[in-house]
Amino acid sequence: MIDTRPLQALISPDSQGLITTCVPNVQVFWSHCAMPRHLQAYPFGLAFIFQGHKIGYIGERRFQYGAGHYLAVGLPIHFECETHVNSNEPLLGIFVHLDVTELSNLAAEMMNHNALSTTTIERSGVEPLCISAPMYDILERIIAILNQPQAGGVLGALYVRELCYHVLQDANSAVLLNHLNRSTPQNRVAQTLEYLNQHLQRNPSVPELAQQAHMSTASYNRHFKQLTGHSVVQYTKTLRLMRARHLLTVEGQNVNQTAEQVGYGSAAQLSRDFKAYFGVPPKLAAVL
């Protein structure tokens, strides 16, 4: 088991959080309280959990990732998840942000030495798996230097590269490798997910997104649902409503401002969809 004391020393008593560490591209995340099913954003990377667990939902697919597991996220994506904590122990883990260029170079070196996994996964861009013994060894070394600027700055990138070596030998490697090949339909759809997230105010149409992906609308719809578990319309609507809740509750915006920023034609339309999805009108969003 991982010694989590260095992680415990970094987290605050706040209910949940995400903090940057001295190791480049590595963050600590935690939650002291359970959270019901909600939409959460995951960037391209690896989530290692040492305490507690989460349950993810992508379409009709349900999967659990918790203590002793890691989640390989092969594309920036939003999906629904629940957070579960044990008594007196917060959910606790680290997230490793992956760099496409660095991972591509590592994969090329491994391919030259026949060291890449040959497993093929035909699922979404997200896959959970058990942390292997070699990964545990590297994770202990990473955790030990998370709050040491000199060691973190010098050794951190080397440890992360070593960790990625073992991940690419695992069954999850196909999920990550698909993201490196920019010509695949999965990667082209993934790029439009980033665009969609950044341009909610414009509310881009399905044909527009398909054109950006250089795909027919039918092909785009099919690959989109394969990756996210939802149709484009369903995914977009949920994303807009979750963004609306954030704007209303965290940033204190009114319904008219929020409707404009998330691409709704009117405050009335937003209010109807918001109440249908969350069960309360926007003015009561703070109780969610």
Side-chain angles (χ1 to χ4, degrees), residues 150-179:
Q150 291 180 331
V154 176
L155 298 175
L158 298 176
Y159 292 167
V160 169
R161 178 180 169 85
E162 185 180 355
L163 180 64
C164 288
Y165 169 83
H166 290 286
V167 169
L168 290 179
Q169 288 191 317
D170 215 333
N172 270 333
S173 63
V175 175
L176 302 176
L177 293 173
N178 283 341
H179 186 74

Side-chain angles (χ1 to χ4, degrees), residues 132-162:
S132 66
M135 292 181 202
Y136 269 120
D137 176 64
I138 304 162
L139 288 167
E140 285 187 328
R141 283 183 273 144
I142 290 175
I143 290 172
I145 61 171
L146 287 179
N147 201 29
Q148 299 179 27
Q150 291 180 331
V154 176
L155 298 175
L158 298 176
Y159 292 167
V160 169
R161 178 180 169 85
E162 185 180 355

Side-chain angles (χ1 to χ4, degrees), residues 114-260:
N114 297 316
L116 276 180
S117 168
T118 58
T119 303
T120 301
I121 296 175
E122 295 296 337
R123 275 188 175 176
S124 68
V126 178
E127 197 67 29
L129 205 66
C130 293
I131 301 173
S132 66
M135 292 181 202
Y136 269 120
D137 176 64
I138 304 162
L139 288 167
E140 285 187 328
R141 283 183 273 144
I142 290 175
I143 290 172
I145 61 171
L146 287 179
N147 201 29
Q148 299 179 27
Q150 291 180 331
V154 176
L155 298 175
L158 298 176
Y159 292 167
V160 169
R161 178 180 169 85
E162 185 180 355
L163 180 64
C164 288
Y165 169 83
H166 290 286
V167 169
L168 290 179
Q169 288 191 317
D170 215 333
N172 270 333
S173 63
V175 175
L176 302 176
L177 293 173
N178 283 341
H179 186 74
L180 303 182
N181 185 352
R182 294 189 174 274
S183 65
T184 64
Q186 294 91 339
N187 192 271
R188 283 181 278 159
V189 169
Q191 292 178 56
T192 65
L193 289 180
E194 296 185 56
Y195 178 85
L196 181 61
N197 187 46
Q198 295 170 5
H199 295 84
L200 277 179
Q201 185 174 13
R202 288 189 55 249
N203 192 19
S205 67
V206 178
E208 181 182 348
L209 293 170
Q211 185 178 26
Q212 283 207 8
H214 304 289
M215 301 165 71
S216 68
T217 300
S219 178
Y220 180 79
N221 277 323
R222 184 174 67 255
H223 286 289
F224 190 99
K225 188 164 187 178
Q226 180 184 1
L227 282 176
T228 68
H230 297 282
S231 70
V232 182
V233 173
Q234 290 172 323
Y235 185 91
T236 303
K237 184 175 181 179
T238 303
L239 190 60
R240 292 162 71 199
L241 289 171
M242 296 301 294
R243 180 71 59 79
R245 183 175 72 168
H246 175 81
L247 292 173
L248 290 165
T249 60
V250 178
E251 300 192 19
Q253 297 194 7
N254 61 43
V255 179
N256 287 319
Q257 293 171 319
T258 299
E260 181 180 352

